[in-house]
Amino acid sequence: MLFDAPDFDAHEGVHFFDDPASGLKAVIAVHSTHRGPAAGGCRWWTYANDVAALTDALRLSRGMSYKNALAGLAAGGGKGIILKTGTGPKSDALLEAFGGAINALGGRYVTAEDVGMSDADMTVIARRTRFVSGLPVGGGAAGGNPGPSTAQGVFVGMRAAVRHKLGRSDFAGVHVAIQGLGSVGGGVAERLAAAGAKLTVADIDEARAARMAAALGATHVAVDEITRVSADVFSPNALGAILDADTIANLDVAVVAGAANNQLATPADGPRVQARGILYAPDYVINAGGIINVVAEYLGDGDAASVAARVAEIEPRLAAIFAEADASGRTTDTVADAMARNAIGR
Ligand code: NAI
């Protein structure tokens, strides 16, 4: 049941941590260390049950292997999940216990921020382990919160998609519907507004959506409307599995390009998107900016300028995937997966 599950995909290791003293319940999944230490952020989230948390860890971890390989990084793929209980903030004791858990893996897994985690949290984790990245850094250095690099990668990746599908080389007047205005979605919205795009936005944090819409001259719609907005591009920047039979049937866009991980709810959803004539930018290719920054910080390999140059490569990489998908008739996600599996020796 576990070893044969599609999401397991021959993970090198899956580790469970239960520390009653601090309240830590965590999963660290290590999919592959073929290219280097398994790098991938940590998510702090409420799950319906433990199996849902494990499934999320496995899917995200494999996604990190693919993402890091296609981004050309000397890193494997892994993911940390801290199960959120209650409604209170995280304690330092919980984060330190998570740091201890990472340390126990001896460097096979290196953490950074994901949903629910900040650079300040990384600083607390770093009290107990050196296998942590995404720490606050001074100007000019690589590293820090990966959100801005991810947002920049989504911006240039979306440009590749808009060029391929709409024949447009800039965003002037291009209408983008943005779901989620957090660390990444907010940065995507700011870049698109500065480039002259027309924006429609939604966030479950209504106050944030209203504030950003006012600041950027965007239209603000309800959370359940954003996937049905008639626009050029839908940009999912909240949580995964947003592309399912139901949402795909109702999409009214030419392109899907956003940062959310695991956007396709099932393997059948890639062909569904393709059948609707919508160009899908594979999530782990377009959202690699943050991990490019994180790995450069961890490996001490480059500065902010070289990170920016590597993030810029997301645009031609996606253009090549789109061209190969057109030439072969395959979906963009299967083209990307084949490239990634080749790069991790599987
Ligand atoms: P975040 O937690 O800063 O922002 C997420 C935003 O989405 C929040 O404003 C939240 O209120 C909103 N949201 C949640 N559910 C929603 C819904 N149903 N409808 C509309 N809005 C909703 O997270 P962050 O860092 O911006 O990440 C966003 C997505 O991008 C996640 O899927 C994450 O895994 C992915 N990602 C993030 C990276 C990063 O560098 N932060 C890197 C690669 C992927």
Side-chain angles (χ1 to χ4, degrees):
M1 156 102 186
L2 178 59
F3 292 108
D4 295 337
D7 293 323
F8 186 72
D9 189 41
H11 263 71
E12 288 181 16
V14 184
H15 310 268
F16 298 87
F17 300 90
D18 188 348
D19 179 44
S22 65
L24 176 78
K25 284 197 193 314
V27 183
I28 296 178
V30 174
H31 179 256
S32 168
T33 57
H34 180 77
R35 298 174 61 90
C42 169
R43 178 170 291 193
W44 183 55
W45 194 249
T46 307
Y47 291 92
N49 53 54
D50 299 355
V51 174
L54 172 62
T55 302
D56 209 26
L58 293 173
R59 295 190 73 192
L60 291 165
S61 163
R62 181 182 53 191
M64 290 310 304
S65 280
Y66 286 14
K67 180 190 305 200
N68 296 342
L70 268 201
L73 300 171
K79 199 81 183 183
I81 298 282
I82 300 178
L83 285 81
K84 185 174 177 180
T85 50
T87 52
K90 343 176 207 8
S91 67
D92 279 15
L94 178 107
L95 291 168
E96 287 177 6
F98 187 63
I102 293 168
N103 210 47
L105 299 181
R108 291 176 60 72
Y109 170 68
V110 181
T111 203
E113 295 89 338
D114 188 44
V115 176
M117 301 291 280
S118 68
D119 52 1
D121 294 332
M122 296 304 123
T123 308
V124 181
I125 289 171
R127 293 176 192 159
R128 297 282 299 278
T129 186
R130 65 190 167 84
F131 306 120
V132 51
S133 190
L135 298 160
V137 292
N145 176 5
S149 293
T150 306
Q152 178 63 16
V154 171
F155 177 73
V156 299
M158 193 185 294
R159 190 162 59 197
V162 163
R163 185 180 298 113
H164 188 85
K165 187 72 184 174
L166 304 174
R168 296 283 308 267
S169 55
D170 64 42
F171 282 110
V174 172
H175 185 186
V176 184
I178 304 181
Q179 179 186 48
L181 296 167
S183 165
V184 178
V188 171
E190 285 165 359
R191 285 164 174 79
L192 287 170
K198 176 183 169 193
L199 302 181
T200 300
V201 299
D203 195 296
I204 47 169
D205 182 339
E206 291 281 344
R208 175 181 294 169
R211 200 171 52 239
M212 284 209 78
L216 301 176
T219 303
H220 166 202
V221 298
V223 164
D224 59 358
E225 285 173 44
I226 194 71
T227 56
R228 284 174 295 179
V229 170
S230 177
D232 296 305
V233 181
F234 170 56
S235 184
N237 298 289
L239 292 174
I242 187 66
L243 300 174
D244 60 19
D246 189 42
T247 53
I248 293 167
N250 288 302
L251 283 174
D252 188 10
V253 292
V255 167
V256 174
N261 280 308
N262 297 327
Q263 290 170 35
L264 299 169
T266 70
D269 294 309
R272 276 196 187 105
V273 174
Q274 185 189 39
R276 293 238 23 235
I278 297 168
L279 181 64
Y280 167 63
D283 43 19
Y284 62 84
V285 184
I286 194 169
N287 71 17
I291 196 74
I292 290 170
N293 189 33
V294 158
V295 170
E297 173 191 345
Y298 181 73
L299 297 177
D301 151 24
D303 57 9
S306 67
V307 166
R310 282 179 233 171
V311 172
E313 290 168 11
I314 291 172
E315 187 167 0
R317 185 172 301 127
L318 277 169
I321 290 169
F322 297 150
E324 167 66 20
D326 278 1
S328 64
R330 287 185 293 159
T331 60
T332 52
D333 58 296
T334 51
V335 168
D337 285 359
M339 288 178 175
R341 291 192 80 79
N342 187 38
I344 61 172
R346 295 201 184 184

